Amino acid sequence: MELEALDIFSKDETTESIPARFAKIAARFPNAIAISGAAGEDWNYAELDARSTTIAARILECADEDSESVAILIEHGPLLVAAILGVLKAGKIYLALDSSEPATRLNAMLNDSGARLILTDAKHSSLTDSLEIPQLHAIEIAGDATEFSIKTLPDVSPDSGAWLMYTSGSTGAPKGVWQNHRGVIHHAEVYRDLIQLTPEDRLSLLTSCSLAASATAIFSALLNGATLCPFHLRLQGVERLAAWMQEKKITVYHSVPTVFRHLARRASDQPGIFETVRLIRLGGEPVLREDVKIFQEIGAPESRLMHAFSSTETGLACALMMEKKTALRESRVSVGQPVRGVEILLTDENGAPVRAGEEGVISIRSANLSQGYWRQPEATARVFQAVECDPQIRIFRTGDRGRFLPDGSLEHLGRADQQVKIRGRRVDLSEVETALIATDFFEEAAAAALEDASGEQRLVAYVVPRKTGVTSQTYRRALLLFLPEHMLPSDFISMQKLPQTAGGKIDRAALPPPHVSKNGFSDDSVPRMGIEKNLSRIWESVLGIAPIGRNDDFFELGGTSLLSAEILIRVQERFGVSLPPSILVEHGTIEQMAELLGKKGVRSSSNPLIQLRASDTGRPLFLVHSGRGDVAAYGQLARRLPGRPIYGFQSVGLDGRSVPQISVRRMARRYLREILSVDPTGPYLLAGSCMGAMVAFEMAVRLTRRGKSVAFLGLFDFAPRPKKGPVARRFKAAANTARDVFRIARMLVRRKLGSETGDDLRQFIMDMNREASTRYQPGFFPGTITLFLSRDMRFPLGDRRLTLAKHARESRVITLPGDRAGIFVSPAVDEMAAH
């Protein structure tokens, strides 16, 4: 496929709609890969065309004719893109929702949009059902293509609405921006010509489809015959992104600079990350000179770096192309020259042009701006100005500041109003302030964006608390009810009173920088030099969050068991110390971990019982490890269950000194001694994950035999016992009795203790646990089992119910969103904690 193959289109391609343009592409390249998803889920253009047509037909069967917009709440991947095309084929406007947004914000967007139809998938059906929108009809779709009674799709005008996206609003509520088909196609053409896009290209889609940047990637790829490659960055993380880049052979990479920096740090270990990438596009937040240096060090020989300036209201406005040998003369990296069809104007506060070289407010003059703010004509008129000589051309006042450099390129100098960009996403400070007051924690509150030492913007909250002794983690948890994660302040500065102007408004110029606060959290949260500073760099790299305070909790920052394992690997590489897997559950802050690293001979406790949360009230909950042997997976769950003590059992032997158990019954007997020492009377609350579910079940059986009461027995994603694999066969060949197997295990452990790292030992523990679960034969529990299952499970639900029914008096099943890998992270862990 060559670029010349696209000459089937007219010179003025904006005279047609997106479905019409896509139909030509699908007919021209039916067998070319349109979307390359996870785990080999590749759809060619013919398949994407058929599946999106099926979705369009379902929409037309169910949609209200008077409703213009259709909401979409679907996992980031091929099905989401098919749903977007289906909405457009049905002649509707798509509103893509992000499941990480708080329910209050999702409800606000749905209410404002007027959408009465929402497309969802199996993973998000429970979240969809919880939305509080009257007369909202949900359609659960899959990726198959089915014939429907509606054979003819409507003709769609290029002037019809295409997408509706919400930005942070100055009124304290999200504000909708909408664009038509003509504008979408124009921006896809501009991007195609600017980066010389061909059907051979493979474009990354890391951005949420609720953001305007996603439209550039989606339609530039699909309206030009290229391949779109979605990657769920929030769920899979930067570490997985590095391998994914190589697997997918990405040629056009697009992200905010912060993600690029984290990805670049992996290049020394994985030098082929950018091998196939010919263009790296960075935007959404300032690009630093250091970013250009990183590109010039790790980029492929002929690759280019593009720094872009864009907004939801304008689309791509300016771009700067840099090569490996490009020399930067200015301290800041400019955003380059205006793209085709755009004129940049700089004015003073009164709207008069500024003189050459002077700073001014950036306005963009174009015939391809967005259509304005959704159903807000007054708000639209305030910032979109018509041009008398040509009704198609308008001027948008961005609220950004800038100045022209001698070479004619634009230097971006930040926001002129209260809107800022944090990690590439727009944040209106007034919306943050509204949420701060709504928590009822504060008498007064103000938000500000400050630049840290690395040049990145971070959000700071200045607050007058109603009471003392409340931690910043508590504030953040409360704010999650009102704000998405990217709008949460990184620091809370406590003050007795906020400074005011003579007119009674907050005097923002008088707000102190974080380092001079005498009684705020910021001073105490800054990592100290030495171990803490090095740990903070590791945490920020793995979690993809910056900055991280010394008292911030790992699991409240979104840490998972997989991320904790990555941190322990980095710590061992940096400090030469092998920390136990439970360390981040017991010591979940940088300060606590640094204190342990400062001690010599850090080793895991030989006691399998670990306290995950301390409390003086409530019955304790005991959680049993999974086959991995550690309790890191329970970190986020424990932090969502305040008001009771929570304990976890890790496998005996993880300390490198004790002999691991290879019998579920022996584990249960050993763990019961610890439970009875903590709580001799009961009633008891027990739960376990995977093979740990068998141990929890066995403990419940033994407790009831002793006349004890088990008030709760929870089994997380319990699966049928695995078939005997190589480990089991190896032990069976070596010994015929449990005693012989135990003796062999003791011998093998002693051999493992001589290894330089704990990797072999942890693998051995997993083998022992797998063997124990294989050999276990459950008895009967005369109570109720609560089974928490992931919705996207591998085994039929009926089979699992039937299996459990044989061994308990009663069982109840609670399904959670997502798959087994995500059962202990949001949103599944939130529902689990609620139950």
Side-chain angles (χ1 to χ4, degrees):
M1 294 180 291
E2 299 178 353
L3 185 61
E4 287 74 10
L6 298 179
D7 61 8
I8 59 174
F9 307 114
S10 63
K11 292 183 179 179
D12 185 11
E13 296 162 13
T14 60
T15 59
E16 60 188 355
S17 67
I18 294 171
R21 171 72 183 268
F22 178 76
K24 293 180 181 179
I25 289 288
R28 179 67 181 85
F29 308 122
N31 298 318
I33 300 300
I35 308 180
S36 182
E41 188 182 15
D42 292 351
W43 295 357
N44 62 32
Y45 272 91
E47 291 169 331
L48 177 58
D49 188 30
R51 285 163 171 161
S52 58
T53 297
T54 294
I55 294 170
R58 292 197 66 184
I59 292 171
L60 291 171
E61 285 191 344
C62 303
D64 182 348
E65 292 184 2
D66 296 330
S67 180
E68 298 177 81
S69 59
V70 173
I72 305 173
L73 187 55
I74 292 175
E75 183 71 15
H76 189 82
L79 184 59
L80 172 56
V81 178
I84 288 172
L85 281 174
V87 172
L88 296 174
K89 286 184 176 183
K92 303 291 185 181
I93 301 172
Y94 79 84
L95 166 62
L97 301 176
D98 189 333
S99 62
S100 67
E101 302 273 20
T104 52
R105 188 176 171 89
L106 295 177
N107 285 324
M109 290 187 284
L110 285 168
N111 265 322
D112 185 73
S113 71
R116 290 297 173 264
L117 186 67
I118 183 168
L119 306 180
T120 189
D121 57 9
K123 181 174 182 177
H124 294 91
S125 60
S126 60
L127 176 57
T128 302
D129 292 342
S130 70
L131 296 173
E132 300 172 354
I133 304 299
Q135 301 176 342
L136 180 66
H137 177 62
I139 300 178
E140 186 174 318
I141 62 174
D144 56 341
T146 309
E147 289 294 330
F148 273 75
S149 58
I150 300 175
K151 300 297 183 181
T152 304
L153 297 177
D155 291 329
V156 181
S157 165
D159 295 313
S160 298
W163 54 249
L164 172 60
M165 298 185 187
Y166 281 82
T167 66
S168 185
S170 59
T171 60
K175 182 167 55 179
V177 180
W178 68 288
Q179 179 61 288
N180 61 18
H181 290 243
R182 190 188 304 275
V184 171
I185 292 179
H186 167 79
H187 290 295
E189 291 174 6
V190 169
Y191 193 53
R192 175 197 65 194
D193 297 342
L194 185 65
I195 69 172
Q196 300 176 329
L197 184 71
T198 77
E200 301 293 337
D201 277 309
R202 299 172 67 84
L203 286 73
S204 68
L205 177 61
L206 311 184
T207 307
S208 166
C209 289
S210 64
L211 302 176
S214 66
T216 301
I218 293 171
F219 297 109
S220 296
L222 299 183
L223 300 186
N224 291 293
T227 300
L228 183 69
C229 302
F231 179 83
H232 203 314
L233 183 61
R234 180 170 53 82
L235 286 186
Q236 300 191 62
V238 175
E239 305 307 322
R240 172 66 185 130
L241 174 61
W244 176 86
M245 294 268 294
Q246 294 174 281
E247 292 170 9
K248 296 298 182 182
K249 295 181 170 57
I250 298 298
T251 63
V252 178
Y253 168 86
H254 179 195
S255 78
V256 296
T258 300
V259 173
F260 171 70
R261 291 168 203 145
H262 289 307
L263 184 62
R265 293 191 186 109
R266 306 296 299 170
S268 58
D269 299 327
Q270 295 174 259
I273 295 174
F274 294 97
E275 182 179 2
T276 61
V277 178
R278 66 173 187 82
L279 180 80
I280 297 172
R281 176 186 171 183
L282 302 179
E285 60 187 14
V287 171
L288 309 177
R289 291 177 63 90
E290 187 62 28
D291 298 324
V292 180
K293 292 179 182 178
I294 293 172
F295 153 71
Q296 292 174 337
E297 291 174 1
I298 66 175
E302 303 301 322
S303 62
R304 296 188 297 169
L305 174 66
M306 174 181 167
H307 182 202
F309 170 54
S310 62
S311 72
T312 309
E313 290 88 348
T314 66
L316 186 63
C318 289
L320 173 68
M321 289 291 189
M322 291 166 279
E323 299 179 347
K324 299 267 288 185
K325 296 181 180 180
T326 299
L328 296 179
R329 294 185 295 273
E330 303 292 335
S331 58
R332 292 175 181 262
V333 181
S334 81
V335 293
Q337 305 280 352
V339 301
R340 174 166 58 88
V342 168
E343 180 183 0
I344 301 295
L345 308 173
L346 293 182
T347 63
D348 60 21
E349 295 301 323
N350 298 318
V354 300
R355 289 180 292 185
E358 287 187 350
E359 178 182 328
V361 177
I362 302 172
S363 294
I364 296 177
R365 189 177 189 269
S366 174
N368 299 285
L369 302 175
S370 75
Q371 302 309 295
Y373 297 117
W374 183 251
R375 296 177 179 175
Q376 296 188 48
E378 294 181 359
T380 301
R382 280 195 295 270
V383 292
F384 288 89
Q385 176 187 347
V387 176
E388 293 183 2
C389 61
D390 189 338
Q392 291 186 336
I393 297 177
R394 291 173 298 151
I395 298 174
F396 173 72
R397 189 176 176 88
T398 66
D400 293 276
R401 298 176 297 110
R403 67 184 178 98
F404 286 119
L405 299 176
D407 63 358
S409 62
L410 179 67
E411 183 180 35
H412 186 268
L413 301 174
R415 295 293 299 177
D417 53 19
Q418 279 196 280
Q419 290 189 343
V420 297
K421 282 199 173 180
I422 304 294
R423 297 197 292 275
R425 304 184 71 170
R426 185 186 300 181
V427 174
D428 193 290
L429 298 178
S430 62
E431 185 174 357
V432 177
E433 291 167 356
T434 300
L436 286 166
I437 298 298
T439 64
D440 285 335
F441 277 117
F442 312 113
E443 296 284 354
E444 300 178 74
L450 303 178
E451 191 173 278
D452 62 19
S454 67
E456 295 180 5
Q457 293 286 315
R458 61 189 178 114
L459 199 59
V460 176
Y462 296 86
V463 296
V464 178
R466 293 182 183 272
K467 60 180 180 179
T468 59
V470 183
T471 65
S472 57
Q473 291 94 329
T474 301
Y475 292 154
R476 289 195 185 98
R477 281 198 298 269
L479 283 171
L480 280 171
L481 297 173
F482 304 96
L483 297 172
E485 287 188 15
H486 74 276
M487 294 177 70
L488 297 183
S490 61
D491 287 298
F492 292 84
I493 300 176
S494 178
M495 303 180 70
Q496 292 183 347
K497 186 175 179 61
L498 298 185
Q500 294 182 343
T501 65
K505 296 182 179 180
I506 295 174
D507 187 355
R508 298 182 183 278
L511 292 171
H515 65 273
V516 303
S517 174
K518 299 300 182 185
N519 52 3
F521 302 110
S522 185
D523 285 340
D524 296 333
S525 69
V526 175
R528 293 171 291 200
M529 297 303 294
I531 296 177
E532 287 188 3
K533 198 67 176 176
N534 285 309
L535 280 177
S536 70
R537 294 192 184 103
I538 294 174
W539 282 38
E540 289 170 1
S541 174
V542 173
L543 290 170
I545 299 173
I548 294 176
R550 60 197 296 264
N551 298 312
D552 287 341
D553 185 275
F554 173 76
F555 291 101
E556 290 185 356
L557 292 171
T560 65
S561 58
L562 294 178
L563 293 177
S564 71
E566 175 66 19
I567 282 182
L568 296 184
I569 292 172
R570 301 278 191 93
V571 167
Q572 184 169 15
E573 292 172 351
R574 175 64 182 82
F575 297 99
V577 176
S578 179
L579 294 176
S582 63
I583 196 73
L584 282 164
V585 182
E586 296 177 284
H587 308 278
T589 69
I590 287 176
E591 180 185 29
Q592 293 168 341
M593 181 180 276
E595 184 180 352
L596 283 179
L597 286 173
K599 300 176 181 178
K600 295 182 179 180
V602 178
R603 304 189 75 172
S604 178
S605 169
S606 59
N607 191 331
L609 187 65
I610 292 173
Q611 188 169 52
L612 307 184
R613 175 185 283 279
S615 177
D616 296 330
T617 60
R619 306 300 309 173
L621 170 65
F622 297 92
L623 302 170
V624 185
H625 58 80
S626 67
R628 291 175 56 88
D630 62 71
V631 294
Y634 297 131
Q636 290 202 31
L637 176 61
R639 282 148 179 80
R640 285 164 170 78
L641 296 173
R644 73 174 66 254
I646 301 177
Y647 294 88
F649 283 103
Q650 65 179 1
S651 284
V652 174
L654 277 180
D655 61 338
R657 292 169 287 174
S658 306
V659 177
Q661 306 281 349
I662 53 172
S663 163
V664 168
R665 289 187 172 84
R666 286 195 180 97
M667 292 181 198
R669 189 164 59 242
R670 174 72 173 86
Y671 299 166
L672 276 178
R673 292 205 304 267
E674 303 297 334
I675 287 179
L676 293 172
S677 67
V678 172
D679 182 6
T681 61
Y684 297 98
L685 313 177
L686 309 173
S689 173
C690 299
M691 74 82 55
M694 301 181 193
V695 181
F697 179 90
E698 179 65 22
M699 287 196 293
V701 171
R702 289 171 179 262
L703 284 169
T704 54
R705 285 176 184 168
R706 297 185 185 188
K708 304 285 187 180
S709 172
V710 177
F712 173 76
L713 175 58
L715 309 183
F716 303 126
D717 210 72
F718 177 81
R721 288 185 293 112
K723 296 179 180 180
K724 293 190 176 184
V727 176
R729 288 195 294 269
R730 184 167 69 246
F731 276 96
K732 186 174 181 180
N736 294 318
T737 68
R739 181 176 300 174
D740 291 335
V741 173
F742 189 82
R743 182 163 42 83
I744 292 171
R746 183 188 298 273
M747 177 189 68
L748 290 177
V749 168
R750 286 173 176 169
R751 291 179 58 190
K752 300 297 178 184
L753 295 182
S755 63
E756 294 182 1
T757 70
D759 292 343
D760 291 339
L761 178 59
R762 282 191 284 270
Q763 182 60 53
F764 186 66
I765 295 293
M766 292 173 64
D767 290 345
M768 296 299 98
N769 287 335
R770 188 180 300 115
E771 170 66 11
S773 64
T774 302
R775 291 151 44 89
Y776 178 61
Q777 295 295 331
F780 181 78
F781 174 58
T784 300
I785 292 174
T786 301
L787 179 62
F788 294 89
L789 297 180
S790 51
R791 191 178 300 278
D792 303 336
M793 54 195 131
R794 301 174 186 173
F795 305 95
L797 181 60
D799 290 350
R800 291 187 175 188
R801 280 177 171 159
L802 189 61
T803 300
L804 289 170
K806 297 176 182 178
H807 304 290
R809 185 189 65 199
E810 183 182 0
S811 63
R812 68 187 186 112
V813 177
I814 295 172
T815 55
L816 303 171
D819 55 20
R820 296 184 69 190
I823 197 169
F824 290 112
V825 296
S826 291
V829 72
D830 301 306
E831 290 194 21
M832 184 190 301
H835 285 292

